[in-house]
Amino acid sequence: MRNLLLLLALLLTGSVVSAQDQFSKQGWNFGALPSVTFDSDLGFQYGGLINLYHYGDGSRYPAYDHSLYFEISRFTKGSGINRFYYDSDQLIKGLQTSLDISYLSDKTYDFYGFNGYDAVVHQDWYDDEAADYKTRVFYKYDRKLFRFKIDLIGQLAGSNINWTAGINLLNFDIDYVDIAKLNKGKDEDDKLPTHDEEPGLYQKYREWGIISEEDANGGFVPALKAGIVYDTRDNKPNPMSGMWTEAVLVGSPEMLGGEHDFLKLSVIHRQYFTLIENDLSLAYRLAYQSTIAGFAPFYYQTQMITSVLKGASSEGLGGANSLRGMLRNRVLGDAYFLGNVEARWKFSRFRFINNNFYLGAVAFADFGRVTKRIDSLESLTFLNTDINDYYDKNAEEMHYSYGLGLRVAMNENFILRCDYGMAADERDGTSGLYIGLNYLF
């Protein structure tokens, strides 16, 4: 965190003494940072990342010919990112080509049950200072995810309408939280109870049969993607005008080795308006995603389908990539609606260390809800517990959050993001701070 704050201080200093007109970049350029960030759900991040850009002869700047991204980092709450990402519209002429190879580990992956507010969340149960405390990992499980992803986007007849296709191979490895590892080196008073002493929600869902034994430990999901994209953005990293709309189908057939047959539809509309030329814009995103055939396993339901992967993960609803300020994965269903609105202001431009920079501020509001439920506790006729502690029939409604953010952008493409969001309803948690890369959409 100290390194990140130092970088921000240097940038602010540069804005005073180095403000100049923009200039183009040629050849190779890179942004490199120690991965010292913070996410309320994941903890402090440490490690390193580097993003290499090749601008060719500079005639297309700020558009680049090739982008290569490497990251190896860890979070203090047990998560890890090992990622390589490549993006180019010059590797194959006429095609936007993206490749992602990632291994993502999370020792305490959030799980609050199904169907949003229908699933009751007791914050006292994981607050070790509360009278009703059970365990800090009551709403957690251990998840490891390997991802191999190739996406292609091509133009249709020279218009703004593009086709998209791709393959996404995902392997989910799920288990109970490793209590022994988390307790290592802790004082007795700080140690977590074992799963026998205090089972968490994931364990209870397994015992009650809501999560089947077939799916309980994850599985392999080979997914094929095809869709249509309409894109009139004037700038991809942070558009000031235009639209970016897509309809995408993703199918996972058992014949390719998957655990289940299913087909999902994702429709996303994003639009950008200039309020003050070059400086102030309004952007919004509306998204709908649903299983339209077959059965999608619970561990895949967190995946937010999109034509382009903007970061290390695209998951929600709830947390850094969707409903900022809410508990991560708070809103989990078989279909959902999501909305985000942002006012984006670029309040300072300058040159520093021979690169173009701008500083930006963002005010945002997020909202979303489950629109099709997953079969859950309502299907059980008997429980050896009070069902009202876990289930509130037909309670699901729209979830809201709001907040402010800062942006630091180098050469229009390498963008540091810091957002602080607050949940409007205490059933969704309280607030969250997220420091990462790129605009949300």
Side-chain angles (χ1 to χ4, degrees), residues 44-337:
F44 284 96
Q45 182 187 25
Y46 58 94
L49 64 88
I50 183 170
N51 204 163
L52 301 169
Y53 296 97
H54 190 267
Y55 292 101
D57 61 8
S59 61
R60 305 171 66 225
Y61 177 85
Y64 54 78
D65 290 350
H66 306 275
S67 169
L68 293 90
Y69 178 92
F70 304 86
E71 179 176 354
I72 297 177
S73 60
R74 299 291 180 269
F75 290 86
T76 53
K77 292 187 180 181
S79 302
I81 297 174
N82 304 275
R83 185 181 184 223
F84 167 71
Y85 180 74
Y86 172 78
D87 182 58
S88 172
D89 62 0
Q90 299 297 305
L91 179 68
I92 304 173
K93 291 294 184 180
L95 291 181
Q96 185 80 33
T97 305
S98 300
L99 168 67
D100 177 274
I101 304 174
S102 299
Y103 179 71
L104 312 174
S105 59
D106 196 326
K107 297 296 183 184
T108 53
Y109 192 73
D110 295 88
F111 177 70
Y112 296 98
F114 301 146
N115 308 325
Y117 289 139
D118 285 11
V120 178
V121 174
H122 299 272
Q123 297 184 44
D124 286 352
W125 287 5
Y126 58 87
D127 181 355
D128 56 10
E129 296 183 357
D132 295 332
Y133 171 69
K134 294 180 180 291
T135 172
R136 293 190 300 276
V137 295
F138 187 86
Y139 296 106
K140 312 284 187 181
Y141 60 74
D142 186 300
R143 191 195 76 169
K144 301 176 181 67
L145 172 61
F146 173 79
R147 180 179 66 220
F148 178 86
K149 181 179 177 67
I150 296 177
D151 290 316
L152 301 174
I153 298 178
Q155 206 170 53
L156 288 173
S159 67
N160 293 317
I161 302 176
N162 304 312
W163 58 265
T164 180
I167 182 169
N168 194 1
L169 306 179
L170 299 171
N171 191 75
F172 296 83
D173 184 3
I174 295 172
D175 205 344
Y176 299 134
V177 172
D178 189 342
I179 299 295
K181 186 169 185 177
L182 294 183
N183 281 341
K184 188 175 181 180
K186 292 185 179 295
D187 296 333
E188 283 299 320
D189 292 342
D190 294 329
K191 287 185 176 180
L192 297 165
T194 67
H195 294 295
D196 291 335
E197 294 170 332
E198 196 60 73
L201 186 65
Y202 164 71
Q203 183 174 346
K204 290 179 178 291
Y205 268 46
R206 291 182 61 170
E207 293 172 352
W208 296 337
I210 299 171
I211 295 176
S212 69
E213 286 305 307
E214 178 185 7
D215 295 334
N217 296 119
F220 177 57
V221 181
L224 303 176
K225 181 177 77 174
I228 297 293
V229 180
Y230 178 73
D231 190 353
T232 61
R233 290 173 293 170
D234 61 343
N235 173 264
K236 290 184 178 180
N238 179 22
M240 294 292 291
S241 65
M243 291 191 300
W244 178 21
T245 303
E246 61 190 59
V248 176
L249 289 170
V250 170
S252 178
E254 283 187 278
M255 62 181 293
L256 293 182
E259 309 294 330
H260 300 279
D261 281 311
F262 67 84
L263 181 66
K264 279 186 172 286
L265 169 67
S266 172
V267 179
I268 307 175
H269 174 69
R270 314 164 188 86
Q271 195 161 3
Y272 311 88
F273 303 92
T274 296
L275 303 181
I276 299 177
E277 187 175 1
N278 298 322
D279 292 336
L280 182 64
S281 65
L282 178 70
Y284 72 87
R285 174 177 69 170
L286 301 175
Y288 173 76
Q289 182 173 307
S290 177
T291 304
I292 59 176
F295 173 81
F298 84 96
Y299 50 82
Y300 188 82
Q301 297 284 24
T302 59
Q303 302 299 300
M304 296 173 60
I305 297 167
T306 180
S307 61
V308 177
L309 188 63
K310 295 282 285 184
S313 65
S314 180
E315 301 186 46
L317 298 179
N321 298 314
S322 53
L323 302 172
R324 290 160 287 187
M326 297 188 195
L327 298 168
R328 183 173 58 147
N329 299 332
R330 176 65 177 99
V331 186
L332 185 65
D334 201 36
Y336 68 76
F337 167 77

Side-chain angles (χ1 to χ4, degrees), residues 29-43:
N29 181 261
F30 73 93
L33 283 177
S35 292
V36 184
T37 68
F38 180 78
D39 186 302
S40 292
D41 300 310
L42 304 175

Side-chain angles (χ1 to χ4, degrees), residues 285 310 320-322 324 340 342 417 438-441:
R285 174 177 69 170
K310 295 282 285 184
N321 298 314
S322 53
R324 290 160 287 187
N340 310 99
E342 293 190 349
R417 169 165 61 106
N438 301 320
Y439 280 85
L440 188 63
F441 59 93

